[in-house]
Amino acid sequence: MTPSVLAGLVGAALVGLGLYGLIIHPHPLRKLLAFNLIGSGVFLVFGIIARRGAAAGFAFDPVPQALVITGIVVAFAASAVAVALILRLAAVAGSVTLDPEAWTRPKGEDAR
Amino acid sequence: MAESGTTPDGYLLVLAILLPLAGILLSFLIGGRYAERVTLCSTPFGFALACAIAFHVGQAGKPIVYAIGGLPPPLGIALRADGISAVMLIAAAVIVTAAAFYARAKFATPDGVRESRGALTFWIMLQAIWTALTIIFVGGDLFNLYVALELLTFAAVPLVCIDGRPETLAAALRYLLFALFGSISYLLGVVLFYGAYATLDIPLLAQRVQATPVVWTAAALMTAGLLAKTALFPLHLWLPPAHANAPAAASAVLSGLVVKGSFFLVLRLWFYVLPSLPTENVAAVLGSLGSAAIIMGSIMALRQARLKLLIAYSTVAQIGYLFLVFPLAAGTHTWSTIGWSAGLMQVLAHAFAKAAMFFSAGVLAEALGHDQIAKLGGAAHVLPLTFLTIALGGLSLMGLPPSGGFSAKWLMLQASIASGQWFWTLPVLGGGLLAAGYVYRILAPALSDGQVTLELPPKRSQEVIAFALTMVALALGFAPQTFFDFLEIGRPMAAGLP
Amino acid sequence: MSLLPYFDVGLALLIVGVAVWIIAARDLFASVVSYVAYGLLLAFVWIRLYAPDVALTEAAVGGGVTGVLLITAGKRLGALKSIAPEAQPGLGFKLRIGVLAALVAAALGAVMIMLPDPPPSLAPQAAAAAAGAGAGLGNPITAVLISYRSFDTMLEKIVLILAVLAVWSVGSDKAWGNTPAPFRQSKPYAPMVFLAQMLAPIGALIGLHIFWVGADAPGGAFQGGALLAAMWMVAMMARLVEPPRVDARWLRLALIAGPAVFLIVGLAGEFVAGAFFAYPPGIAKPIILIIEAFMLLSITASLPMLVAGPPIERSEK
């Protein structure tokens, strides 16, 4: 089993695990961790495609690797925004539940 | 440089992107009250660029192209504007401009303060949404479009929670998580396309793509991700709280434009990358989900106590109509062009009508101090222009003539009968009836003889802006045939036919 | 050499195992710490995939900076005692989602085995363009990032700025213009301060080196910038320096310098080199290095600001 085939299967497993965690965990920080897991699985799939694209004297296809680098930075930025929202929500409301029922406003209040 | 595919007027595409992008950087650097001024000053130029692009596309009769850096795909990235790109660019420019002028009252930097959180955030995020949408409408590379989708998400989410209330923070967080799931699913699809064909350029992929399991999986992943971002049933749960609790100017842009961005990419995927594949089953699934959204969204809208939530559920329903374009415009039949025109007309009519309705809801909420429908008795007598706007916007949502909404639904009915898929008439007509129901729910108490006191006088400029947008939605109903022909520019037909 | 397959399989099993632990651990903090370990293990996988640039980025950004972000988040959440416990979903729901996830993973694995052979690739085009549009850069990934697909990279820097503003915007109105919360509340231990004083300059030098060699060898602005950002964060953790005010002009300038220079050079390209974002042939490599230098500045400024969080009111300090 070459490293790229193995990495591809690992990538598929990570995507599945991450998807499971994203859906079942109620805590948003754990959902974020699961999302990062999916992200790293997707990047691994890019990686095996880059490795398979070895040609013309290169050991890899540089385009997918460059896309992964861009993706890692964007995923980090997403995590930072999510963390900021989670922390602020926790500080202001004392709870981080995402259940819409919990946030339904009591009757009589209004919104602008 | 003809060999790179760049057309002589392609530079307009780059300028259209770089204008709001430069605005973001300038606003961030000098900050303070200049962010508002930069945004307002750039709006006429952005609108002019959008019109210029439309003019050139119309004149050439085919898409205008720009290979960035002079390097053509597959190694480089190309921008491409066709008929629907140009039309969406103009719509985005108009609605962003309207939102910018509408929001001046609420998001001006207070006197005596050099810079305020709310103002800086709003003006920069608005320009960022505009930049991201421009790239989405003219982008020709799937990964470039992924980065634009992320930009759109990062710009839209903070607008939802800009006033800091806990329920808006929760809604923003839920929106962010759905959007991130959407982006990563989209990216996984993009990876698989690259792995199969080593290109991410839309026309190149269209030439190379074949009906293999890899392609179907990639398409399914990308579509699932984009459906989450477009809030199509059953992935719509994040939208009502997010759009209803955002400030009115933000809600207008979110419902009117942001969800159309991801929908636009679904169109690009199925009609521009994959038209040569047998897509009947997928089209049927998307149409069915759309029908479910129409019925379910409209029923939920009927049950809402708050005006802004009703309007947000109406968005969920109207998004359902958009997905009827897949069964109605597939292939190269004579009725396909009718279906295509119907879908795009629905996009435009809903964008303008919904933006106008959210603007009106904002005026109303400021003036009355609340947006409870039950307490709207007699409000139309004190806010005549606002309720006229709501009524006319409702006309378009219901699909009554003369309006863009009527035009869209009429074309949908025509296409479904001409194609023998008469069953799609049921959700179209049913949705129209239900929409009449929820519009009636708003207007009936307002027009009655109740007495309601104004907490604040309505801002005339905001009312006028809302009214102007709703007139655009109505004017779309008079679109000539050349408009529909324009929408066809650049659309590839299925394999085997020119 | 014959040990390598065993190493690969062992690494794969370990990574999947840590991933399962991230999802299955009951304690939030255990999950977060496992994620940091996971990020570092992934770097090994990237090395086995012949992707040293990505390995550097994954270790620095995916493992390192994301790790600091998540650990800080976990600690701050843990400190807020009033967080209500979440209701866990039922076993039936978990089973159904588990089946769904397994199906998705299986479909993905199957599809990857079905990818075409011989695999299509853009490596030949990249090799052909290396002397021309690639400006003679020895590192083809840098050529892709800063030349062939420069538009993606510039957009990504805009995304970073948007993220910084998004993080800042969740603070309260009264706090605007202040500094973010310090990285630690109490006085740091003396060994921490000593470590920071020793490590930060060395790490910064290594970061600059990684940036500089990135033109022709693995490395570049992202990797070097992540390392420089980490050193700034170490200094802030040891309270040798404090986080800056969010309205500080120098900070704003540093944050936009990268994309702004990219934008200006890109616009100029239309007049000097015939197309937007094209580089004039003779001086392409120095121009690319200049762009990368300003990108380095922006990355170094933005990553710590994303971890530091929104500005806080004086009373919260």
Side-chain angles (χ1 to χ4, degrees), chain B residues 65-196:
Chain B
V65 181
Y66 194 86
I68 298 185
L71 189 67
L75 195 57
I77 296 175
L79 301 173
R80 187 168 287 102
D82 53 14
I84 59 174
S85 310
V87 160
M88 291 306 299
L89 282 174
I90 295 181
V94 171
I95 294 181
V96 166
T97 307
F101 282 95
Y102 179 94
R104 293 186 67 197
K106 179 152 183 184
F107 288 106
T109 312
D111 293 322
V113 169
R114 194 188 79 80
E115 186 177 78
S116 89
R117 177 196 67 96
L120 187 72
T121 306
F122 180 82
W123 296 109
I124 292 184
M125 295 307 173
L126 185 63
Q127 292 180 90
I129 289 180
W130 196 9
T131 311
L133 285 173
T134 307
I135 300 171
I136 286 176
F137 296 142
V138 305
D141 178 278
L142 291 180
F143 186 78
N144 209 12
L145 292 171
Y146 163 74
V147 185
L149 278 176
E150 292 289 277
L151 185 66
L152 190 61
T153 299
F154 288 4
V157 165
L159 286 182
V160 169
C161 61
I162 198 167
D163 63 4
R165 284 175 296 139
E167 56 272 17
T168 62
L169 288 167
L173 188 53
R174 197 177 314 114
Y175 178 15
L176 181 63
L177 288 171
F178 264 94
L180 291 180
F181 161 75
S183 311
I184 207 71
S185 185
Y186 174 92
L187 186 61
L188 187 51
V190 168
V191 175
L192 292 177
F193 269 121
Y194 187 88

Side-chain angles (χ1 to χ4, degrees), chain B residues 288-305:
Chain B
S288 308
L289 289 176
S291 306
I294 295 174
I295 303 300
M296 206 240 33
S298 305
I299 292 177
M300 288 301 291
L302 282 170
R303 293 173 45 189
Q304 294 307 313

